[in-house]
Amino acid sequence: MTHRRWLAAAAALVSLLAPSAAHAAGEDDRYALVHGCYDLVGAGAPVGPVRMQATRLGSYLLYTKDRRFVTAAGVAPLPSDAADFAVAGTNAKGFTLTARDGSKLARGSRLAFRAAQGCPEYPEVQDTSKGTPAKGLTPYSETRGYIDAHMHLMAYEYFGGKARCGRPWHAYGVPYALPDCNADPAAGAFNTVLETALGRGAPTDQVGWPTFNQWPAYDSLTHEASYWKWLERAWKSGLRTYVNLFVDNEQLCKVVAYRTNPCDDMESVRLQRKRIFELQDYIDAQYGGPGRGFFRIVTDPFEARRVANDGKLAVVLGIEVSRLFGCGLVNGVPQCDKAQIDRQLDEVHALGVRQMELVNKFDNAFGGVAGDSGSTGTVVNSGNRLETGRYWDMRSCDAEGPGVQDREQTTSGTPAQDQLFGAALTLGLPAGTAPIYPAAPHCNGYGLSPLGEHVVRRMLAKGMIVDPDHLGVQARKQLMTLVEAERYSGVVSSHTWSTPDAEQRILRLGGLVTPYAGSAVSFAAKWQELRAKKDPRWRTGFGYGADANGLGRQGPPRGASSGPPVTYPFKSFDGSVTFERQQSGTRTFDINKEGVAHYGLYADWFEDLRKIAGDGILADMATGSDSYLRTWERAVGIGQETCRDGRLRLTRAGMGQLRLGIPAEELLRSAGQPTTRKGRSWRWCVEDRGNAAERVRTAFTPGGSVALIGSTVARHRIAGVGPGSRTSAIRGARRLAPGVLVREAGGGRRYVYRSTAAGRVRWVAVATRTASRTPATLRSYAGIAGLR
């Protein structure tokens, strides 16, 4: 082992031991108090018992037996800064509790927590599942699980921060996260007006927790649908990768009379990014400390794979706004330049953003949009004029096949997918005359601009995921031509805002198409359609884009004609978790009756898909997360899956780019993506006539470094000896075990030959001393590699 590698291994060992050392020292004791029932012991301690309800990492409400809240002055009926205590100390030395208003419990005296009984449970959405989500076999193996490539978890902050009721979490728990919407009269009034404009009618019951009589609902776009416990249920059902797109629209924000946030898309991105890290910390607090929660924000595909294989949810950050980087368009003049783009792209990348759309609802300095259809399109087009000084430049075009066109423009019709935009804009746009367009099909005449090309090239240079959704047909074609010229796989159409021709091109590149979820029946049909378009060169799975939390209606309950109903209980696709009907407060949800009323019912929606389309659809979706990560790996420079040359030779270093002793990520960078990644073995196909079914195999140590490289390919040889050769041709080898010969290769490595009863070589390998120390260890590593 080289000195550098020894230092790296030592550093890794220290990092692995560090959490245990910290825990031994008691630094995690304050986090472990979460949800516990305790008496506080010490001078001035309040009378217990109290339930410790985490408000953030290391801070708690002390919930009393009579359902009140401890303060330094006594007890209070409601939580507040005076009842929200930061806990400091350890079990060994005792703890101090300081409230957010600066007051100190027991005048700052150190107190002890003693386990007690008799505490009431703090209000929370119920978990009606049983079981533990499955983990991957290793941190670097293939992941199994679903991908939602288009979600808006932080949308409660969009459109000025008051356009919707509820939020994914609140420091004081579910009663405050999912409240009575009329508790804030101004926001509640706007919520009612907006629901009416959307066609649902004015809600007669705005109460959330604990009754939820009228919301959440699959067709409600103004109420929170992704409370963290609901997201937890979807994660438990197999969701492993999740793209959260920060979303906003300046013009729609300005329509909202009552707001607390600025109407600036990029300021909203920064705020939502801050909030999502706060949510991560909050979930960690509920799970007992930093890093313990299921919700993990990631910034590269290697980290994402480790998270998913740890059985957690890898959260990728993205952006979907109309005025990206402030690059609006006014009367055809861009409101930014390349320097501004570069500066802000560097900023958001540093903030962790890894996936972006160039446009959303309005034309901007990067290109033209696909528009909206029906009555929604008429209104959003007026918003485009308000934003840019012009209506969409929709022209008659010759569709190059079914669906290869932008959204058809009419003066009347039904609302479109993103009808919230149209409904809200109708409340504040000045009266005007919509343009008269020529006959359909329509295509936006404004394509990808030079600035649009610039931002795409800069995204490619950073290894980011490019999402061409919402671009007009012409702009998207130009974008696809650009990425195809670069042979760039990192392209994802996340929610059915691309056209069939673009989907085919994306799949040919090794990208991913994840249709808008919506109706289970329509989604299953789209799965069949895209399955027929798959390129055999790529291991392409299937995913979905929920577009939930205000921008798209979710799946409605379906009729019995399309398949049998979901029956409860049911199991996750891998059988690890069992689900009963979801219960939130006093309401019980059944997907057969309510559809996807909130995000937790995606667990039920997956089962509904199975009822409609069989096990095959879930099998494809279970490879969706891995497909996204493979696409992302190629975007950051990992070579695509390439068969190994059948003429390579084994040396003491390895075989070509496959090297002994290096960790999995380094092997990936040097050798490119393997054909399979099963547990502690990666395998590559071989480009050699007559050996199409053979594989070059590697086996990793428990710590994740390459310990053995072997092959059954006849021309993969060691000093002229390979599979099929006579064992008598082997020189300088000794017998390690029956049928196993080894020869020293130098540098602590050994060549290994497996012989047959007929005196022929079955396979050859090169192994580290660790992997070949004894017959048992060699047998184990060869077995891991699939060499018998």
Side-chain angles (χ1 to χ4, degrees):
M1 180 180 289
T2 66
H3 182 63
R4 176 182 292 181
R5 194 161 289 153
W6 184 90
L7 288 175
L13 180 62
V14 169
S15 68
L16 289 172
L17 293 176
S20 298
H23 183 74
E27 293 180 12
D28 289 343
D29 292 347
R30 62 191 179 122
Y31 305 124
L33 296 170
V34 66
H35 306 313
C37 180
Y38 300 97
D39 285 318
L40 276 74
V41 180
V47 176
V50 295
R51 178 76 64 188
M52 299 296 287
Q53 173 63 25
T55 59
R56 55 189 56 79
L57 280 168
S59 293
Y60 299 89
L61 300 173
L62 280 59
Y63 192 51
T64 68
K65 196 171 183 177
D66 59 355
R67 303 180 188 276
R68 294 192 291 174
F69 301 88
V70 171
T71 69
V75 292
L78 297 174
S80 66
D81 282 356
D84 187 353
F85 290 96
V87 176
T90 65
N91 288 335
K93 296 181 179 180
F95 299 89
T96 59
L97 286 80
T98 304
R100 289 178 68 81
D101 70 353
S103 60
K104 296 180 181 294
L105 192 63
R107 297 184 178 181
S109 298
R110 288 192 174 271
L111 305 174
F113 287 89
R114 184 173 63 200
Q117 295 180 340
C119 299
E121 294 293 331
Y122 195 79
E124 186 55 279
V125 164
Q126 296 91 319
D127 182 357
T128 56
S129 68
K130 292 182 180 179
T132 302
K135 295 186 178 183
L137 297 174
T138 68
Y140 45 84
S141 60
E142 295 174 5
T143 66
R144 293 192 71 214
Y146 306 134
I147 165 78
D148 181 349
H150 195 107
M151 183 55 197
H152 302 297
L153 191 58
M154 296 294 108
Y156 76 97
E157 291 286 15
Y158 70 4
F159 309 155
K162 291 294 182 179
R164 58 185 297 110
C165 176
R167 50 183 291 171
W169 90 104
H170 190 284
Y172 300 158
V174 65
Y176 292 80
L178 305 175
D180 179 345
C181 301
N182 288 326
D184 183 334
F190 182 78
N191 183 270
T192 298
V193 170
L194 193 52
E195 284 288 289
T196 302
L198 286 165
R200 294 188 76 239
T204 58
D205 187 345
Q206 285 276 52
V207 177
W209 177 267
T211 56
F212 297 112
N213 287 330
Q214 292 193 356
W215 72 274
Y218 79 90
D219 57 348
S220 173
L221 304 183
T222 65
H223 296 96
E224 180 60 48
S226 299
Y227 182 63
W228 79 274
K229 289 293 286 185
W230 296 334
L231 176 60
E232 180 189 58
R233 178 180 170 93
W235 157 66
K236 287 187 174 184
S237 73
L239 184 63
R240 289 295 174 271
T241 307
Y242 178 95
V243 181
N244 180 81
L245 297 166
F246 304 134
V247 63
D248 214 326
N249 182 283
E250 293 183 15
Q251 290 302 324
L252 204 155
C253 175
K254 293 173 182 176
V255 167
V256 181
Y258 180 44
R259 55 182 183 263
T260 56
N261 298 338
C263 294
D264 180 294
D265 282 355
M266 296 311 296
E267 284 301 314
S268 185
V269 164
R270 296 177 185 102
L271 176 62
Q272 291 179 47
R273 188 265 185 187
K274 176 184 177 183
R275 293 288 186 252
I276 201 167
F277 275 90
E278 291 172 355
L279 173 60
Q280 178 177 256
D281 287 348
Y282 179 82
I283 294 175
D284 278 354
Q286 308 312 311
Y287 272 72
R292 294 180 181 270
F294 70 88
F295 187 92
R296 313 308 316 155
I297 298 168
V298 298
T299 57
D300 64 56
F302 318 110
E303 181 185 16
R305 187 174 295 278
R306 291 192 295 271
V307 166
N309 279 325
D310 194 30
K312 298 184 178 183
L313 179 61
V315 180
V316 183
L317 304 184
I319 298 176
E320 180 189 27
V321 297
S322 286
R323 191 181 275 257
L324 182 63
F325 305 147
C327 292
L329 191 71
V330 176
N331 293 319
V333 179
Q335 303 300 293
C336 64
D337 56 22
K338 291 181 179 180
Q340 179 176 325
I341 293 168
D342 292 348
R343 184 171 60 254
Q344 292 207 32
L345 181 59
D346 288 344
E347 178 194 1
V348 299
H349 190 270
L351 291 175
V353 171
R354 295 298 182 267
Q355 179 170 318
M356 291 197 316
E357 296 180 25
L358 271 63
V359 301
N360 184 222
K361 287 298 165 185
F362 304 141
D363 295 340
N364 64 21
F366 302 138
V369 298
D372 287 85
S373 59
S375 57
T376 299
T378 302
V379 178
V380 176
N381 198 3
S382 296
N384 191 82
R385 183 175 182 276
L386 193 65
E387 169 78 9
T388 70
R390 298 175 181 177
Y391 290 107
W392 297 320
D393 183 18
M394 294 293 181
R395 307 174 183 180
S396 292
C397 58
D398 294 326
E400 299 174 12
V404 185
Q405 62 193 65
D406 291 330
R407 303 299 167 106
E408 185 173 328
Q409 300 305 300
T410 59
T411 56
S412 64
T414 58
Q417 176 180 325
D418 286 355
Q419 71 180 98
L420 176 61
F421 282 90
L425 285 169
T426 60
L427 303 178
L429 281 179
T433 303
I436 298 175
Y437 287 111
H442 293 136
C443 296
N444 194 335
Y446 177 35
L448 188 70
S449 72
L451 289 179
E453 180 178 337
H454 175 77
V455 74
V456 171
R457 291 192 182 281
R458 293 283 288 122
M459 288 179 68
L460 268 56
K462 289 180 175 293
M464 297 176 73
I465 300 294
V466 179
D467 185 345
D469 281 11
H470 285 292
L471 282 169
V473 165
Q474 180 177 327
R476 187 163 47 248
K477 285 181 177 179
Q478 292 169 315
L479 182 149
M480 291 306 302
T481 298
L482 188 159
V483 295
E484 284 168 344
E486 299 294 332
R487 298 182 180 180
Y488 190 76
S489 282
V491 184
V492 173
S493 172
S494 64
H495 68 320
T496 318
W497 275 89
S498 285
T499 46
D501 63 317
E503 292 173 348
Q504 186 76 71
R505 296 173 77 176
I506 290 168
L507 293 172
R508 280 203 302 263
L509 274 174
L512 189 64
V513 177
T514 59
Y516 176 54
S519 159
V521 175
S522 298
F523 185 85
K526 188 67 175 180
W527 164 65
Q528 293 283 12
E529 176 192 328
L530 289 174
R531 216 179 182 205
K533 293 181 178 180
K534 288 172 65 171
D535 190 308
R537 294 174 300 165
W538 310 106
R539 298 167 56 80
T540 305
F542 196 60
Y544 67 101
D547 200 12
N549 242 21
L551 302 180
R553 294 189 177 200
Q554 300 305 288
R558 62 174 174 83
S561 61
S562 53
V566 170
T567 56
Y568 296 87
F570 63 85
K571 291 184 178 293
S572 57
F573 77 93
D574 58 6
S576 62
V577 182
T578 301
F579 296 89
E580 297 285 356
R581 290 174 178 84
Q582 202 286 316
Q583 187 173 350
S584 298
T586 60
R587 183 174 172 185
T588 300
F589 291 89
D590 185 328
I591 194 169
N592 301 300
K593 300 176 182 178
E594 287 126 338
V596 184
H598 60 65
Y599 201 86
L601 291 172
Y602 269 100
D604 312 54
W605 186 77
F606 301 142
E607 176 66 7
D608 202 25
L609 289 173
R610 190 182 70 81
K611 292 287 187 179
I612 296 170
D615 292 336
I617 190 169
L618 293 193
D620 276 1
M621 291 182 71
T623 64
S625 172
D626 194 74
S627 292
Y628 182 90
L629 299 184
R630 283 175 176 267
T631 292
W632 195 3
E633 285 172 350
R634 292 190 289 271
V636 298
I638 301 301
Q640 70 182 67
E641 179 186 327
T642 304
C643 294
R644 304 295 98 178
D645 190 332
R647 298 166 297 178
L648 290 173
R649 299 292 181 261
L650 276 82
T651 69
R652 70 180 185 183
M655 179 191 291
Q657 296 166 317
L658 308 180
R659 319 295 287 180
L660 284 175
I662 62 176
E665 185 177 325
E666 187 176 337
L667 177 62
L668 197 62
R669 292 185 183 280
S670 64
Q673 295 177 322
T675 305
T676 62
R677 309 181 208 190
K678 302 290 187 183
R680 285 168 54 192
S681 177
W682 289 2
R683 303 180 187 185
W684 280 262
C685 58
V686 177
E687 192 175 78
D688 193 48
R689 188 169 58 187
N691 285 295
E694 300 299 328
R695 296 288 184 268
V696 175
R697 302 121 185 277
T698 63
F700 292 91
T701 67
S705 62
V706 181
L708 180 145
I709 300 169
S711 176
T712 55
V713 176
R715 292 199 290 174
H716 285 165
R717 300 187 168 220
I718 302 170
V721 177
S725 300
R726 293 186 178 277
T727 54
S728 58
I730 303 172
R731 298 288 182 265
R734 64 181 178 84
R735 180 176 177 273
L736 182 68
V740 179
L741 299 173
V742 297
R743 180 164 68 85
E744 298 300 322
R749 313 289 173 78
R750 284 174 172 168
Y751 295 124
V752 184
Y753 308 83
R754 180 71 166 94
S755 64
T756 67
R760 297 280 183 177
V761 175
R762 179 179 298 168
W763 52 259
V764 293
V766 60
T768 63
R769 185 65 58 87
T770 298
S772 59
R773 181 178 292 113
T774 67
T777 56
L778 181 57
R779 189 180 308 115
S780 173
Y781 277 96
I784 289 168
L787 298 168
R788 298 288 188 267

